Amino acid sequence: MGHCRCIHKALLTRVLRTRRVFELERTYLLNWRALSTDSEKIRVKAVYVSQSEDIFENLALEDWFYRNDNFLSQPKLLLWRNKSALVIGRHQNLWMEVDVTEAERLKVAVARRNSGGGTVYHDRGNLNCTFFTSREEYNRRLNLTIIQRALQRFGISVHINSKDDLTLNGAKISGTASKLGKSAYHHCTLLVDSDLQKLSVLLNPNTVGPWNIP
């Protein structure tokens, strides 16, 4: 994750309580509409908020949308968060990314997602956003701009850098990955009040891997 920073604990209570999630949902929709072309504005856009905090259920939900929905008629945004979990990229080596012994000791779930990219740490202080579109409409920069403008409505000014990371005062607060097939999705994390100490320990592996076991 590099140099990371959470937004602020106060934002967690403002955004992630049930009654506030729908304000964020409305904010996303307003910014999605504002950034759409005139022809796109006539289409209905939908935002879903997962009620699960289980990483495996949420990854399965995300994959079900990707495989079964038609995003030509309706782009979608899925908002979700999990209990403590480590999520590795499609092509990554678990033993090189994660301290497996520490994850087992702390009872932190480890899951592999279908998209590429690096390993990320999830907990209830991290918000995940998945943007589903057709392949032709895939636009990572636009999606990040929607998040950027939504955060501005809460008085938080973030920057999108050249690597398509969201940064706050120079520190990275969001990681991004995507999957492109007949349809596409772009998903990203948003650090709100994550346990950065646990993140650092779990993503700096000291585990003996299978390649050097006698």
Side-chain angles (χ1 to χ4, degrees):
M1 294 284 292
H3 182 40
C4 301
R5 178 175 297 167
C6 294
I7 293 176
H8 197 276
K9 187 172 182 178
L11 182 63
L12 181 71
T13 58
R14 294 183 62 195
V15 175
L16 296 181
R17 288 178 182 170
T18 301
R19 66 176 182 272
R20 301 291 296 190
V21 165
F22 296 102
E23 180 175 339
L24 182 60
E25 173 183 335
R26 178 173 176 272
T27 301
Y28 271 112
L29 285 171
L30 286 172
N31 285 289
W32 207 340
R33 180 175 176 81
L35 293 168
S36 298
T37 65
D38 289 340
S39 61
E40 289 175 331
K41 287 178 182 178
I42 63 174
R43 292 190 302 165
V44 176
K45 298 178 178 68
V47 178
Y48 294 87
V49 180
S50 173
Q51 299 303 297
S52 174
E53 292 185 346
D54 182 278
I55 180 59
F56 301 104
E57 291 180 357
N58 280 323
L59 287 176
L61 175 62
E62 183 181 62
D63 190 60
W64 187 93
F65 272 123
Y66 174 73
R67 294 176 183 273
N68 293 280
D69 220 324
N70 176 13
F71 306 116
L72 280 171
S73 60
Q74 186 183 66
K76 290 181 171 64
L77 169 62
L78 175 65
L79 301 176
W80 47 292
R81 62 176 179 151
N82 300 303
K83 294 175 288 189
S84 292
L86 290 158
V87 188
I88 65 175
R90 182 183 181 94
H91 307 291
Q92 288 191 300
N93 183 324
L94 168 66
W95 297 90
M96 295 185 68
E97 302 295 331
V98 172
D99 190 325
V100 178
T101 302
E102 192 69 9
E104 289 180 343
R105 186 183 73 81
L106 295 173
K107 295 181 170 38
V108 174
V110 181
R112 185 182 296 277
R113 62 179 185 270
N114 282 322
S115 63
T119 300
V120 291
Y121 171 74
H122 291 185
D123 61 18
R124 291 185 176 96
N126 171 75
L127 179 65
N128 302 292
C129 312
T130 306
F131 294 85
F132 298 95
T133 64
S134 66
R135 186 184 180 101
E136 293 73 23
E137 292 179 304
Y138 172 80
N139 189 331
R140 181 181 296 190
R141 195 83 177 183
L142 172 63
N143 299 337
L144 293 173
T145 301
I146 291 168
I147 297 174
Q148 180 186 47
R149 293 181 62 164
L151 290 173
Q152 284 175 348
R153 296 174 72 92
F154 291 93
I156 299 168
S157 180
V158 298
H159 174 68
I160 305 171
N161 67 17
S162 59
K163 295 181 179 180
D164 286 340
D165 294 325
L166 288 174
T167 64
L168 177 66
N169 299 326
K172 181 177 174 181
I173 61 168
S174 176
T176 278
S178 58
K179 184 172 179 62
L180 282 75
K182 291 182 179 179
S183 297
Y185 66 75
H186 160 223
H187 52 191
C188 59
T189 57
L190 185 63
L191 292 173
V192 180
D193 189 34
S194 285
D195 186 337
L196 298 185
Q197 182 176 0
K198 186 182 287 188
L199 178 156
S200 178
V201 168
L202 291 168
L203 294 185
N204 287 280
N206 297 308
T207 305
V208 176
W211 57 86
N212 55 13
I213 295 176

